[in-house]
Amino acid sequence: MLIQSGGRLMLAAACFCALLFTGPAAWSREPADQRDPRHLQSGPLDPSLYELKPAQYLPGLPPIALRGPAQAKGLIIWNHGRDVAAEAMALAPPVIWELARQGWDVQTLQRHGTHDVLAVALRIVGAGLDAGRAQGYRRIVLAGQSVGAWIALGETARRDGNAVRPDAVLALAPAAFGTPASPMNWRQNDSRLRPIWEYFAGRQTALFAAFFAEDPYFEQSEPGVRGGYAKQRLAELGLPALVLDRPAPDVMHGHGAGMSLPFARRFAPCLVLLLDQGKPPPCEDGDRSAIATFGLAMPPALPASPGDAFAGLWQGTSANGRYMLLELRPLSAGQQREAVHGVGRSINNEAASSQTVPLVSEGRRQRFNQGSLSLDLSLEPDGRLKFRRTEAGQPPQDSWLRRLP
């Protein structure tokens, strides 16, 4: 509960900090006396523990030079996960690359040292925020994955007074307390995250959080708990937040799903708008309003087709990650129907596009064949539409769509 008056606020803040810092062994696997002594110092942080430097990206993604505070939209500070190799610290994921392409400067905040202790990791995030403001950036966004996401949220929540605070936080699969296979209490990845949301109340920091199917740090054991709670609670707090609860699980799953190209193709357009507008755009499957977000035109209303299980609008995520809209028109003579297949705007100037193709109806399947391309649509028992695309010499690509209400 957020307490907002007098000494009670100080008590709440103290309780929150205690929640973040309690039990360092739960965060760090090493006994206290084996940690790097630089982590135990008081006063200013040892500058050798961290470094803020221009981001690098995966091979195949062109480098993007920093524009500087006067030209860039602002600064995104990327916070990496724990126990990554030195070369991986400098790498920001494709979704952040697209934000850089859209006008943001991106720098990685690299946490050095032999061990990554929570108390120090949070202070390093704060040092990065201060350094970004000292460079002259007026707008600053914190982003991160796993532990990097956790400390971005935690440091933002505990900053108050005149401290530099980010305009937005982008958190991919936040986690800090292990999996069921480790000795740490993995449920703390939920129980210790919930109080953090409370400290965003009234601050209007734009938030993005993504929780992925089959994430061993929580969702694999208790699916739907963290994402569902965050979505409901942040809405109750009136915050500009976009929370993804196991999006497109057939395409994106596991702890590192947010680092993938499919994730970037599907959700980068949403993050561009979130940061530009300061509020989340319609983005998720099942929301008709998302059609416009991805640059596609809303199809006209279709006539009623009683008994036709296919006719209507279907929406989902394609096998390579792009937003997909499928309009299946009612059957005409000869057991044929028209299908309008659209894919939304994506990264690297991939514009929205659509094409109309004729389908032949074969009961619970719809087919299209032309040259080396074939489409095969089938209704699944769970109500989803399986969309299989096959081109000569290529393995088939399966996409899964659901009917729009």
Side-chain angles (χ1 to χ4, degrees):
M1 184 178 194
L2 185 62
I3 303 173
Q4 298 182 338
S5 59
R8 295 176 68 197
L9 176 59
M10 295 178 61
L11 177 61
C15 292
F16 172 68
C17 290
L19 185 64
L20 279 178
F21 294 118
T22 296
W27 167 275
S28 193
R29 292 189 294 268
E30 302 79 14
D33 58 0
Q34 293 181 19
R35 295 198 192 108
D36 190 314
R38 292 176 297 171
H39 291 151
L40 306 178
Q41 66 182 0
S42 58
L45 276 175
D46 185 326
S48 68
L49 286 174
Y50 63 95
E51 185 176 12
L52 187 65
K53 59 192 301 184
Q56 300 175 31
Y57 303 98
L58 295 172
L61 295 177
I64 300 177
L66 297 182
R67 299 169 178 84
Q71 300 296 324
K73 292 180 178 179
L75 173 65
I76 297 175
I77 299 176
W78 175 254
N79 296 272
H80 57 81
R82 189 171 188 263
D83 289 340
V84 298
E87 59 270 20
M89 290 183 181
L91 295 177
V95 68
I96 301 298
W97 175 85
E98 176 63 14
L99 294 175
R101 202 187 66 80
Q102 293 283 344
W104 290 83
D105 279 355
V106 180
Q107 299 185 43
T108 54
L109 185 56
Q110 301 174 31
R111 307 186 303 278
H112 299 307
T114 55
H115 305 303
D116 201 357
V117 179
L118 175 57
V120 179
L122 288 162
R123 292 179 66 196
I124 287 173
V125 175
L129 281 167
D130 294 338
R133 181 57 51 83
Q135 291 175 19
Y137 290 98
R138 290 169 297 173
R139 299 183 65 197
I140 301 178
V141 173
L142 288 179
Q145 190 264 344
S146 188
V147 163
W150 186 281
I151 58 178
L153 290 168
E155 178 62 16
T156 301
R158 75 190 190 118
R159 289 207 141 203
D160 215 333
N162 295 322
V164 178
R165 290 178 54 82
D167 296 85
V169 181
L170 313 179
L172 306 177
F177 298 100
T179 70
S182 68
M184 294 182 282
N185 183 355
W186 60 275
R187 285 192 171 87
Q188 292 178 108
N189 289 318
D190 177 45
S191 63
R192 294 199 180 193
L193 186 58
R194 294 189 181 202
I196 291 177
W197 301 131
E198 303 299 317
Y199 280 78
F200 284 89
R203 293 179 173 177
Q204 292 304 299
T205 303
L207 288 169
F208 173 85
F211 304 91
F212 297 102
E214 301 302 318
D215 185 341
Y217 285 85
F218 200 86
E219 279 66 34
Q220 191 172 75
S221 299
E222 295 188 7
V225 172
R226 292 200 302 173
Y229 177 84
K231 186 175 294 189
Q232 176 181 335
R233 187 61 186 136
L234 292 175
E236 292 170 349
L237 294 172
L239 293 171
L242 175 59
V243 178
L244 303 179
D245 182 12
R246 296 161 297 151
D250 299 289
V251 181
M252 306 166 201
H253 46 84
H255 191 54
M259 307 290 284
S260 68
L261 273 169
F263 177 82
R265 292 188 183 107
R266 176 62 176 80
F267 292 108
C270 303
L271 292 183
V272 169
L273 292 174
L274 172 68
L275 297 186
D276 285 352
Q277 300 173 356
K279 60 181 181 180
C283 183
E284 296 184 80
D285 294 346
D287 186 347
R288 280 179 175 257
S289 301
I291 295 172
T293 297
F294 290 92
L296 292 166
M298 174 70 75
L302 294 172
S305 301
D308 188 340
F310 284 94
L313 279 181
W314 299 79
Q315 188 186 69
T317 301
S318 71
N320 72 352
R322 295 185 68 175
Y323 175 89
M324 181 186 292
L325 181 68
L326 187 66
E327 176 192 358
L328 295 180
R329 295 172 177 166
L331 277 175
S332 60
Q335 291 297 100
Q336 290 195 338
R337 74 171 80 239
E338 285 189 329
V340 182
H341 173 217
V343 290
R345 65 165 63 101
S346 188
I347 64 173
N348 200 24
N349 286 325
E350 291 179 320
S353 64
S354 62
Q355 60 179 327
T356 302
V357 295
L359 295 176
V360 176
S361 179
E362 299 177 0
R364 294 184 65 82
R365 304 181 74 175
Q366 312 288 293
R367 295 181 183 275
F368 167 81
N369 290 282
Q370 186 175 78
S372 62
L373 174 66
S374 67
L375 305 177
D376 189 337
L377 284 64
S378 58
L379 284 172
E380 300 299 300
D382 62 1
R384 295 186 300 170
L385 183 68
K386 182 179 179 181
F387 182 104
R388 170 164 286 190
R389 177 188 178 96
T390 306
E391 292 190 68
Q394 301 291 328
Q397 289 189 324
D398 290 338
S399 305
W400 301 87
L401 296 86
R402 288 193 180 275
R403 186 189 296 275
L404 277 172

